[in-house]
Amino acid sequence: MPRYEFRCRTCGDTFELSRPMAQSSDPASCPAGHDDTVKLLSAVAVGGAAASAPAPSNGGGGGGGGCCGGGCCG
């Protein structure tokens, strides 16, 4: 189940809730009981080895990219 991050405008507390995607926009009360909350945008971090990943192949033809790795640009 997805987790959504909220911030309370009254006390400034930031908290997370697990709820179905169908309820992602429903109002949320903070743990202190305040109702004036706002849903925050969360950035998703995936992996961490992108800098050491091998470069993509260009189709083996030595072309410069183009529309399909150099295969149709002649």
Side-chain angles (χ1 to χ4, degrees), residues 14-62:
T14 300
F15 59 98
E16 292 183 352
L17 292 177
S18 293
R19 54 170 55 170
M21 290 177 68
Q23 298 174 1
S24 66
S25 297
D26 290 356
S29 296
C30 85
H34 305 120
D35 291 325
D36 189 12
T37 61
V38 61
K39 187 172 126 183
L40 302 175
L41 283 175
S42 298
V44 177
V46 179
S52 62
S57 170
N58 65 0

